[in-house]
Amino acid sequence: MKNILVTGGTGFIGSHTCFSLLSEGYNVYAIDSLVNSSKKSLLYIEEIFRSRDIDISNKLRFFEGDIRKKDFINYIFKTALKEKKPIDGVIHFAGLKAVAESVIKPLNYWENNVFGSYNLIKSMKENNCKTIVFSSSATVYRFSSDNLLSEDNQLKPINPYGSTKLAVENLLNDITQDANGNWKIAILRYFNPIGAHESGLIGENPLNKPNNIFPIIINSAYTKEKLKVFGNDWPTKDGTCIRDYVHVMDLADGHIKALDFLLRNKTQLIKLNIGTGIGHSVLDLIKTFENANNVSVPFEFDERREGDVCQLVADNSKAKSILNWSPAKSLKEMCIDGWKWKNTNPKGYM
Ligand code: NAD
Ligand code: WQD
């Protein structure tokens, strides 16, 4: 069975993907600096498997450390080799992701996201591991609200976070120019991942005040503090912005399919949108959350948020055809699972 290094493995998307990798029989070497997560997520993953009478004790290893330190990454490759489980591929989630913070601390973002990725890629090369799935974002696109965004849409990020994602994409593009490189690379551009594992045991656990709408909706449903809806004068059916929300377990499945595709195929680089292709407004999301969970989500309208765009929806046809991936979960299921996570762990992984 294949051995996979998962950077950012204790984070929101990383932990759900570790779960899916283990479910598919992969051995997982998870690494994380814990700057925005808790290693308890992995304990809960073990608990889910235990509740299903599945023993994963030798299949999931965790190493705390920072991808800005190449020696640390090399150590993981060497350890895996010593354990006779050489790393076959990497899924690279580790990075900082708060758009507003990236404007205030751009160097921090370049150091973590770009220098960290550079170290990882260099270490991969040194250890002869050339298969990588990279977490990119719809934020790399030059936004145009008219159509579904396809992968050949123009690229033009508008904040340092987006610039760092594009810089890593460029780095990955460049290394494929080396004919002897033999790299197999999948760049996945996620739209808006939300939800949680259906058990409610793992979910999104932001250590700082959340900026994304879904954890804010969950908090508002829980505390009854009013959330602010940014703008009700957008040219949409109800005046609020449209986004493409995708269930985190569907996203995790996209990673497994991308990894599997790379491992089975020849050297190449693929860039794929991961979204449902369906747009929902902020009010759709709030109403669906209320109806699905029978709770109220108090809100008020506020000014538009700077940097927001009216509509962002994925053309996901490439991921569907190349990976045979298809999102299976509805907006309602995303809301049910997210609320279950909150009620199972009201204080997150505390
Ligand atoms: P997250 O913060 O929950 O996970 C990222 C993980 O990386 C965290 O556990 C953090 O502790 C770790 N990390 C950060 N810097 C590190 C470093 N230098 N060394 C080691 N570990 C480090 O975020 P997430 O939502 O799970 O996002 C995962 C990836 O997907 C990120 O790269 C993010 O940019 C990307 N992404 C996320 C979204 C989203 O909306 N959640 C959308 C598009 C892309
Ligand atoms: C969604 C909608 C807001 C908060 C961001 C990043 C992007 C990607 C995903 C990482 C928008 C509205 C929000 C609130 C609101 N992340 N909103 N009140 O902006 O689509 O994308 O996360 O790669 O890079 O930019 O997601 O969840 O912040 O906002 O009304 O308190 O919710 O205006 O329409 P966004 P979001």
Side-chain angles (χ1 to χ4, degrees), residues 128-172:
N128 203 27
C129 172
K130 306 282 187 66
T131 299
I132 179 168
V133 180
F134 171 61
S135 296
S136 191
S137 166
T139 201
V140 296
Y141 290 120
R142 182 195 183 103
F143 298 133
S144 75
S145 284
D146 313 336
N147 300 309
L148 300 184
L149 281 167
S150 77
E151 288 82 357
D152 49 20
N153 196 84
Q154 211 185 334
L155 304 175
K156 195 173 192 326
I158 57 165
N159 52 62
Y161 166 70
S163 304
T164 64
K165 287 288 164 192
L166 186 55
V168 178
E169 286 200 10
N170 287 335
L171 169 56
L172 291 168

Side-chain angles (χ1 to χ4, degrees), residues 16 18 61 89 93 106 109 143 155 174 184 188 196 222 226 231 244 252 297 323 327 332 343:
H16 289 78
C18 284
R61 299 280 310 274
F93 296 105
Y109 274 68
F143 298 133
L155 304 175
D174 285 352
K184 297 178 174 189
L188 303 186
Y222 199 77
K226 272 189 189 169
D244 183 336
V297 177
L323 300 183
K332 185 176 172 189
N343 286 296

Side-chain angles (χ1 to χ4, degrees), residues 97 99 136-139 159 161 165 190-193 211-214 216 227-231 234 240-243 245 282 305 308-310 312:
K97 63 161 184 178
V99 170
S136 191
S137 166
T139 201
N159 52 62
Y161 166 70
K165 287 288 164 192
Y190 320 153
F191 279 64
N192 291 63
N211 299 303
N212 291 122
I213 188 69
F214 196 67
I216 292 174
L227 74 82
K228 292 185 190 309
V229 173
F230 297 141
W234 294 93
T240 66
C241 291
I242 308 274
R243 292 290 181 274
Y245 299 99
V282 178
R305 182 173 66 177
D308 260 346
V309 284
C310 182
L312 268 181

Side-chain angles (χ1 to χ4, degrees), residues 260-275:
D260 185 51
F261 176 86
L262 294 178
L263 291 170
R264 279 187 293 105
N265 283 286
K266 62 177 182 1
T267 297
Q268 61 188 298
L269 181 147
I270 48 173
K271 294 176 192 168
L272 303 172
N273 285 339
I274 303 287

Side-chain angles (χ1 to χ4, degrees), residues 59-99:
K59 300 186 76 64
L60 173 61
R61 299 280 310 274
F62 175 66
F63 298 83
E64 183 175 342
D66 199 305
I67 57 164
R68 287 172 292 177
K69 300 208 167 86
K70 189 154 74 67
D71 289 351
F72 165 67
I73 307 170
N74 276 334
Y75 169 75
I76 310 301
F77 277 104
K78 304 287 179 234
T79 304
L81 201 58
K82 253 192 231 152
E83 292 175 351
K84 301 207 170 6
K85 292 178 181 171
I87 303 289
D88 297 290
V90 173
I91 305 184
H92 176 31
F93 296 105
L96 304 177
K97 63 161 184 178
V99 170

Side-chain angles (χ1 to χ4, degrees), residues 23-318:
S23 302
E24 293 297 318
Y26 289 95
N27 294 313
V28 174
Y29 286 80
I31 65 175
D32 205 296
S33 67
L34 305 180
V35 65
N36 195 39
S37 57
S38 161
K39 59 184 169 195
K40 284 194 186 154
S41 58
L42 302 183
L43 295 179
Y44 283 107
I45 289 176
E46 284 169 358
E47 195 173 319
I48 302 171
F49 283 105
R50 221 176 3 257
S51 71
R52 297 175 182 183
D53 281 332
I54 301 170
D55 178 17
I56 55 149
S57 46
N58 294 320
K59 300 186 76 64
L60 173 61
R61 299 280 310 274
F62 175 66
F63 298 83
E64 183 175 342
D66 199 305
I67 57 164
R68 287 172 292 177
K69 300 208 167 86
K70 189 154 74 67
D71 289 351
F72 165 67
I73 307 170
N74 276 334
Y75 169 75
I76 310 301
F77 277 104
K78 304 287 179 234
T79 304
L81 201 58
K82 253 192 231 152
E83 292 175 351
K84 301 207 170 6
K85 292 178 181 171
I87 303 289
D88 297 290
V90 173
I91 305 184
H92 176 31
F93 296 105
L96 304 177
K97 63 161 184 178
V99 170
E101 185 189 54
S102 79
V103 177
I104 301 163
K105 299 177 179 171
L107 285 175
N108 224 11
Y109 274 68
W110 277 81
E111 191 188 343
N112 264 279
N113 295 1
V114 182
F115 177 64
S117 298
Y118 164 83
N119 267 339
L120 173 69
I121 292 161
K122 199 143 187 248
S123 175
M124 286 177 68
K125 185 169 188 232
E126 286 168 16
N127 291 282
N128 203 27
C129 172
K130 306 282 187 66
T131 299
I132 179 168
V133 180
F134 171 61
S135 296
S136 191
S137 166
T139 201
V140 296
Y141 290 120
R142 182 195 183 103
F143 298 133
S144 75
S145 284
D146 313 336
N147 300 309
L148 300 184
L149 281 167
S150 77
E151 288 82 357
D152 49 20
N153 196 84
Q154 211 185 334
L155 304 175
K156 195 173 192 326
I158 57 165
N159 52 62
Y161 166 70
S163 304
T164 64
K165 287 288 164 192
L166 186 55
V168 178
E169 286 200 10
N170 287 335
L171 169 56
L172 291 168
N173 266 309
D174 285 352
I175 58 172
T176 59
Q177 308 298 316
D178 172 2
N180 300 320
N182 299 324
W183 287 92
K184 297 178 174 189
I185 299 172
I187 291 172
L188 303 186
R189 295 180 181 146
Y190 320 153
F191 279 64
N192 291 63
I194 62 170
H197 186 264
E198 63 188 13
S199 63
L201 285 175
I202 54 171
E204 187 170 10
N205 178 48
L207 296 185
N208 298 313
K209 198 167 173 274
N211 299 303
N212 291 122
I213 188 69
F214 196 67
I216 292 174
I217 288 178
I218 291 179
N219 282 344
S220 172
Y222 199 77
T223 62
K224 301 300 170 203
E225 272 172 43
K226 272 189 189 169
L227 74 82
K228 292 185 190 309
V229 173
F230 297 141
N232 61 351
D233 57 350
W234 294 93
T236 62
K237 57 175 184 178
D238 60 21
T240 66
C241 291
I242 308 274
R243 292 290 181 274
D244 183 336
Y245 299 99
V246 55
H247 196 292
V248 65
M249 292 308 296
D250 280 332
L251 181 57
D253 181 47
H255 288 79
I256 310 292
K257 292 217 159 67
L259 182 70
D260 185 51
F261 176 86
L262 294 178
L263 291 170
R264 279 187 293 105
N265 283 286
K266 62 177 182 1
T267 297
Q268 61 188 298
L269 181 147
I270 48 173
K271 294 176 192 168
L272 303 172
N273 285 339
I274 303 287
T276 61
I278 302 167
H280 291 287
S281 73
V282 178
L283 289 186
D284 284 338
L285 181 60
I286 292 175
K287 294 296 162 206
T288 306
F289 193 96
E290 290 186 320
N291 293 334
N293 295 312
N294 201 19
V295 284
S296 65
V297 177
F299 69 88
E300 62 193 357
F301 291 113
D302 199 359
E303 297 296 302
R304 289 181 179 193
R305 182 173 66 177
E306 206 189 318
D308 260 346
V309 284
C310 182
Q311 171 175 314
L312 268 181
V313 182
D315 173 347
N316 61 6
S317 49
K318 222 171 144 188

